[in-house]
Amino acid sequence: MFLTGIPLPLKSNNYLVYKYPSLTCILLLLLISGNFCYAQNTGDTLIQLKTALQLAEQRYPLLKSKQYEINAAQSYTDVVKYSRLPSVDASYQAGFATANNVTGMFYPNGLLPISGPPSASNNYSPATGSAASLLLNWQAVTFGQRNAQIQSSIVEANTKKTEYQQVLFQHKISVISSYLDLLLAYDYVNIYQHNIDRVQANLKQSRVLTKTGIKAGVDTALFLSELSKAKVDLINNERERQVRQILLAQLIVSNDLPTPLDTAFLNHLPASINNSDTSFANHPAIQYQQNLYQLSKSKEDVLKKSFLPKLNVWGTTFARGSGFQPDGSIKTFDGLAMNRFNYGAGVQLVFPIMKYGEVKKQLQQQNLLSAASQEKINESKWQLATQQKIALATFNNSILVANETQQQLKSAEYAFNAMQIRYNTGLVNYADLMQAQYNLLKAELDHKKSYWDAWKALLLQAAVQGDETIFTNAIK
């Protein structure tokens, strides 16, 4: 567990520590037990990287919205397939109106037609009328247009799926990156806590040397000032750790602040991977772009078939009722009952003669959109190829830097220990000791960051290859 990196500074009174050494032991015991209780109380916030990725996939709102879009696209495919069935409409109407009529043709837009022979004159006496029908209409043959629409809807649903996979992959990379940032923040807090411990040890020794007359009292004041600076550094890094926790909690949609459990892998360097694949066929971004291209081509197919004829089959049975009698008399309410019945059936071939020119223009537009989609695929592959080279160079350089910082840390530790011994014996002054301590602190920070950089470089390689398991398998 990484709980050892959680800073729990003991704000003890130096006078009490030296005056009552037994009190120091009690406080240390309380500190150890408190650290153990912290681990127990915050057990629900401890999280492995694998669990963080699962929570992000299950909870993140954007991913949920993409899932709903997939379901909606699949439902639309069912809607298009349902259009194979005929439509059947049942209707009934009743009215109260006059029946004056003339013979002749007119365009019936916005007008209610009146059936029957022409009237000798206008008669404003109204009567009731009614009508009922059952009408079947079926596009039996569409010469491939319906199948093209169904295929286009299937491609659109697949495009939504690949879009979800792309967004999911990008979010997983963000979660892993945030997890690494949080690990580094914990390591920095731990390093600054150790730095405080070193300053406190030097402060204690300077007081002893002052009492014995080996060092001047000003050294104690300088160490007290340095202790305050070290505590400020710790507070600032504590704030950074909390910010990193909040950001990770936001990515996994958690109300509790997460504490990483997978920490051991950051203490060693990752192994290099073979990323010679330049096709990027399995990369979620490429798969999404390819599906967008296929969707554009399917729309071309729909347009090509949209100006082909359609064969419709229709059938109907209907009845009419009227209060106007054949002899010219009017029986006002007799029209509510049906007194004439008919049926009919037939086929209709519809050919959109003037639609060819419109479809030709639309097809030209769609061809250009398909070409643009193809170029986006080429551009994405070119970018990934460039990023692959950058990722490999970054990884190799980060390994070299990490090896150098390891040597730098060993040298800084040796120099500090030697300088501390020389200071305790009065051979060097305060400035020499603090310079060695600064060098050690910087070496510790650089060493941790170099290992973090190496794992970040591996994550970049995983992002370029489109496979986050390259990283997750490496931490085992």
Side-chain angles (χ1 to χ4, degrees):
M1 295 193 305
F2 204 79
L3 291 176
T4 56
I6 298 174
L8 291 172
L10 177 60
K11 299 180 180 179
S12 60
N13 186 294
N14 291 312
Y15 174 78
L16 291 177
V17 170
Y18 293 114
K19 183 75 173 178
Y20 304 104
S22 60
L23 180 58
T24 305
C25 297
I26 296 174
L27 290 174
L28 288 174
L29 289 174
L30 290 174
L31 175 60
I32 296 172
S33 62
N35 201 9
F36 177 74
C37 293
Y38 179 87
Q40 288 184 323
N41 294 335
T42 59
D44 58 336
T45 65
L46 298 176
I47 188 169
Q48 292 179 315
L49 178 57
K50 180 179 179 181
T51 304
L53 293 173
Q54 292 174 346
L55 291 177
E57 183 174 358
Q58 296 169 2
R59 298 177 177 179
Y60 199 64
L62 179 59
L63 296 176
K64 287 185 177 181
S65 71
K66 295 300 179 183
Q67 284 283 12
Y68 286 126
E69 290 178 3
I70 292 174
N71 296 335
Q74 292 173 338
S75 297
Y76 178 70
T77 300
D78 296 335
V79 171
V80 178
K81 289 180 179 180
Y82 195 80
S83 65
R84 294 169 174 169
L85 301 177
S87 64
V88 179
D89 301 320
S91 64
Y92 173 81
Q93 61 172 294
F96 187 69
T98 58
N100 299 315
N101 198 16
V102 293
T103 300
M105 182 184 292
F106 65 95
Y107 187 66
N109 185 22
L111 299 174
L112 298 177
I114 300 174
S115 62
S119 304
S121 62
N122 287 321
N123 183 354
Y124 297 106
S125 300
T128 58
S130 61
S133 71
L134 188 66
L135 176 63
L136 179 145
N137 195 353
W138 179 34
Q139 285 189 344
V141 181
T142 62
F143 297 94
Q145 182 178 356
R146 182 185 293 113
N147 290 336
Q149 290 173 338
I150 292 174
Q151 184 60 33
S152 180
S153 66
I154 293 174
V155 174
E156 184 174 3
N158 291 334
T159 302
K160 289 295 182 182
K161 290 179 182 178
T162 54
E163 182 184 11
Y164 168 79
Q165 292 298 328
Q166 181 190 20
V167 174
L168 174 61
F169 174 71
Q170 292 173 345
H171 191 66
K172 284 183 176 180
I173 294 298
S174 297
V175 170
I176 296 173
S177 180
S178 181
Y179 198 92
L180 283 173
D181 293 343
L182 182 55
L183 284 177
L184 182 64
Y186 267 111
D187 278 343
Y188 273 15
V189 167
N190 196 29
I191 289 173
Y192 279 105
Q193 180 62 61
H194 290 162
N195 187 56
I196 290 177
D197 295 339
R198 286 193 293 264
V199 176
Q200 287 176 334
N202 290 332
L203 174 62
K204 179 180 178 180
Q205 184 62 28
S206 71
R207 284 173 171 164
V208 174
L209 295 176
T210 300
K211 289 180 180 180
T212 59
I214 298 177
K215 292 293 183 181
V218 69
D219 280 13
T220 301
L222 291 173
F223 276 119
L224 285 172
S225 176
E226 191 62 35
L227 180 60
S228 295
K229 292 179 183 179
K231 288 181 178 179
V232 169
D233 289 337
L234 177 61
I235 293 172
N236 289 332
N237 280 271
E238 276 281 13
R239 176 186 58 81
E240 181 65 20
R241 176 190 60 79
Q242 292 172 359
V243 170
R244 294 301 177 184
Q245 278 187 302
I246 294 171
L247 291 176
L248 180 58
Q250 184 263 334
L251 291 175
I252 64 175
V253 193
S254 173
N255 292 324
D256 299 323
L257 294 180
T259 301
L261 267 177
D262 295 324
T263 61
F265 72 92
L266 207 58
N267 294 322
H268 65 271
L269 294 174
S272 180
I273 63 170
N274 181 17
N275 56 353
S276 58
D277 180 23
T278 57
S279 65
F280 306 105
N282 296 324
H283 198 288
I286 298 300
Q287 291 181 342
Y288 175 58
Q289 292 289 346
Q290 287 175 341
N291 272 272
L292 286 177
Y293 174 74
Q294 293 174 2
L295 178 60
S296 183
K297 298 297 290 185
S298 69
K299 290 180 179 179
E300 288 183 30
D301 195 33
V302 172
L303 286 173
K304 289 176 182 178
K305 293 179 171 58
S306 64
F307 59 85
L308 296 178
K310 299 178 182 64
L311 181 64
N312 298 331
V313 178
W314 62 271
T316 183
T317 175
F318 66 95
R320 285 289 309 276
S322 177
F324 297 97
Q325 304 302 309
D327 59 2
S329 62
I330 298 175
K331 295 183 179 179
T332 304
F333 296 103
D334 285 1
L336 297 177
M338 305 299 172
N339 47 43
R340 294 294 186 271
F341 301 90
N342 294 283
Y343 65 87
V347 294
Q348 180 187 42
L349 183 65
V350 180
F351 190 88
I353 297 176
M354 299 301 296
K355 195 174 181 63
Y356 175 78
E358 177 187 356
V359 171
K360 183 178 180 181
K361 299 295 183 183
Q362 292 177 338
L363 193 56
Q364 289 175 348
Q365 178 195 25
Q366 194 60 47
N367 286 335
L368 294 174
L369 292 175
S370 297
S373 183
Q374 179 62 58
E375 291 303 323
K376 288 181 180 179
I377 295 175
N378 296 336
E379 194 240 354
S380 296
K381 288 184 178 180
W382 181 251
Q383 285 185 347
L384 287 174
T386 302
Q387 292 174 2
Q388 186 181 59
K389 296 175 183 178
I390 295 174
L392 181 59
T394 302
F395 180 81
N396 292 335
N397 289 334
S398 64
I399 295 297
L400 295 176
V401 171
N403 291 331
E404 290 299 327
T405 59
Q406 188 172 8
Q407 180 60 43
Q408 177 186 351
L409 177 60
K410 291 180 180 178
S411 300
E413 287 176 343
Y414 175 82
F416 173 74
N417 292 332
M419 193 64 67
Q420 193 173 41
I421 294 174
R422 290 171 63 85
Y423 178 82
N424 294 341
T425 57
L427 297 178
V428 296
N429 57 22
Y430 166 84
D432 294 332
L433 177 61
M434 289 313 302
Q435 185 59 50
Q437 183 169 321
Y438 287 149
N439 291 339
L440 176 57
L441 176 61
K442 185 178 184 303
E444 289 175 335
L445 295 173
D446 289 345
H447 181 63
K448 282 297 180 183
K449 188 175 184 301
S450 67
Y451 275 57
W452 175 83
D453 283 336
W455 284 99
K456 277 278 188 173
L458 180 65
L459 179 61
L460 178 58
Q461 288 183 311
V464 171
Q465 291 301 118
D467 184 8
E468 76 280 358
T469 60
I470 292 175
F471 184 93
T472 56
N473 291 339
I475 70 174
K476 297 178 180 178

